[in-house]
Structures are given as structure tokens and as C-alpha cells.
Amino acid sequence: MGQGQKGSSDKKEGKKKKRDVSPAQEDGHKCRVCRFPLLVALLQLLLGVAVTVVAFLMLAISPSLLARETPHWAGIILCLVAIVGIILYFITYHPDERSSLQFIVKLLYFILCTIGLVISVLVIAFAGHHYQQTSSFICELEGEDCMCTLDKDDPIARAFTYEEVGDCEEITGTLALYFLIQILLNVAQAIVCAIGAFIMWKHRYQVFFAGLQIGSPSSQQWQKV
């Protein structure tokens, strides 16, 4: 009987010790690039650079293209968002946001991700409209300029002039392709920004403590849900 009681008490103490042990630290050999927010920031940086490069390639076709047609500004803004995310990754983590610097950078990154999402949606809308428009153009080359209309037989139809274009095929073909690429890149960019903003919001408002602390004198060993 003594040995049985001793064995059962040892099991109880073993279970209690398991409960008291705080969550194990992350393995240092795990992929660092896969951790949040570094992975999201690197994707934002890559997509921002791609959007900017494609926008300047579009601008090289004709200098008369407007800013809403060449969204290099959207790519530059996303690069800035990515830089803030990379800075957040290298800031030392403190539980319960005890560091004011950590809180400010996290809030700034959440706001910038939300702004990046809105900007990407705007670019998608502009690029979709211009893609449909350029795909329907009927163009004629006049000197070094390309004159385009949506309906050649309509005398009052609006004409679009693209200066310094050597071949109108660059407007109806190459430029339309660039608009399609911008749509795809900004769809991916919007998804990444939405994921970044959602993870930040979830980490701030959905990660909480259950209030269970059994047999542990330390206030740091709470069961995290």
C-alpha cells in the first residue's frame, strides 16, 4: 500500500510539473525567413519592386501616360511597408507589449498594411479599366504619335494620343499586357497586405490568457490560448 500511494503521488507530482512548465522556446534551427513578419515583409518588398519595375517599363512606352496608368507610387509605398515589417522583426519581443517602441512599430505596420491593401485595390481598379480600354483601341500612327479611339466611325468619339510611340502595337499589345501584369501583381499584393494586417490584429486581440496557473509561483507561466 505504501509503495502504491508513493507511485500515485509521484505521478501526480509529475503531472503537476508538466503543467507548471512554461511553453518551450522556439527551436533556433527553424527557418527564420518563414517567421512573421519577415516572410510577409519580404513578399511585400518583392511585389513592391516588381510593381515599380513594370510601371517604369510602361512609362518607357510613352511619356504621355498618366500617373494612374503607371502605378510606380504603389510599388514604392509597399516597399516602405516592407521596410517597417523588417524593422519589426528585429525589434526584441516583450510580452504584453511592454516596450513602447514595439507597440509603435506594430501599430504603424498594421496601419501601413491596411493602407497598402486599399492602394492595391485602387491600382487593380485603374489597371482593369485601362486594360479593357486599350484592348478595344483602334489606333493609327501619325508621325511619332499614336492616335487611338474606341470607335473609328464615331466622329465625336474621344481620341487618346500617345506621344513618341514608334508602333501602335505597343499600345494595343504591350501596354495591355503590362496592365494585366499589374492586375495580377496587385492582387497578390493586396492578399499579402490583408494577411499581414489580419495577423497583427489577431495577435493583438485574439491571443489571450485563460487565467490558469496551477502550482506556479511565477506570474509569467500562464497558460496561453
Side-chain angles (χ1 to χ4, degrees), residues 62-66 69 133 137-142 144-149 158-165 168 171 175:
S62 175
S64 59
L65 290 172
L66 302 176
E69 297 174 297
Q133 194 176 59
F137 273 160
I138 301 173
C139 301
E140 292 182 356
L141 192 62
E142 296 184 3
E144 294 184 354
D145 300 338
C146 187
M147 303 291 295
C148 300
T149 58
R158 181 183 176 186
F160 299 86
T161 304
Y162 295 92
E163 301 175 354
E164 301 178 11
V165 178
C168 288
I171 301 300
L175 186 61

Side-chain angles (χ1 to χ4, degrees), residues 42-216:
L42 291 177
L43 289 175
Q44 288 173 336
L45 183 61
L46 180 63
L47 291 170
V49 171
V51 169
T52 305
V53 170
V54 173
F56 281 113
L57 290 175
M58 297 168 68
L59 191 59
I61 295 176
S62 175
S64 59
L65 290 172
L66 302 176
R68 65 173 179 266
E69 297 174 297
T70 57
H72 55 275
W73 41 272
I76 294 173
I77 292 174
L78 258 294
C79 289
L80 296 176
V81 177
I83 291 172
V84 175
I86 293 172
I87 293 173
L88 177 61
Y89 174 77
F90 287 105
I91 291 177
T92 305
Y93 177 78
H94 296 281
D96 302 328
E97 297 176 351
R98 295 176 183 176
S99 171
S100 59
L101 178 61
Q102 176 184 323
F103 173 76
I104 292 172
V105 176
K106 286 174 67 175
L107 179 62
L108 180 62
Y109 185 63
F110 173 79
I111 294 174
L112 289 177
C113 282
T114 306
I115 294 174
L117 173 61
V118 174
I119 290 175
S120 298
V121 172
L122 289 176
V123 174
I124 292 169
F126 283 133
H129 169 71
H130 291 298
Y131 172 75
Q132 182 181 10
Q133 194 176 59
T134 53
S135 300
S136 305
F137 273 160
I138 301 173
C139 301
E140 292 182 356
L141 192 62
E142 296 184 3
E144 294 184 354
D145 300 338
C146 187
M147 303 291 295
C148 300
T149 58
L150 293 173
D151 189 356
K152 189 176 180 180
D153 298 328
D154 189 356
I156 61 172
R158 181 183 176 186
F160 299 86
T161 304
Y162 295 92
E163 301 175 354
E164 301 178 11
V165 178
D167 187 1
C168 288
E169 180 64 24
E170 294 185 1
I171 301 300
T172 57
T174 306
L175 186 61
L177 177 61
Y178 283 152
F179 281 129
L180 181 60
I181 293 173
Q182 287 286 8
I183 292 173
L184 297 177
L185 288 176
N186 281 277
V187 167
Q189 193 166 255
I191 293 173
V192 173
C193 286
I195 291 173
F198 173 74
I199 293 176
M200 292 298 297
W201 174 84
K202 184 177 181 180
H203 181 268
R204 181 66 179 85
Y205 292 104
Q206 287 192 346
V207 176
F208 59 95
F209 292 97
L212 299 179
Q213 188 187 24
I214 303 174
S216 175

Side-chain angles (χ1 to χ4, degrees), residues 11-39:
K11 290 181 181 180
K12 290 181 180 179
E13 288 179 359
K15 291 181 180 180
K16 184 181 293 186
K17 289 180 180 179
K18 289 182 180 179
R19 290 178 180 177
D20 294 343
V21 174
S22 59
Q25 295 181 353
E26 295 183 358
D27 187 5
H29 297 287
K30 290 184 178 179
C31 177
R32 291 184 178 271
V33 179
C34 301
R35 297 177 182 177
F36 180 83
L38 186 60
L39 178 60

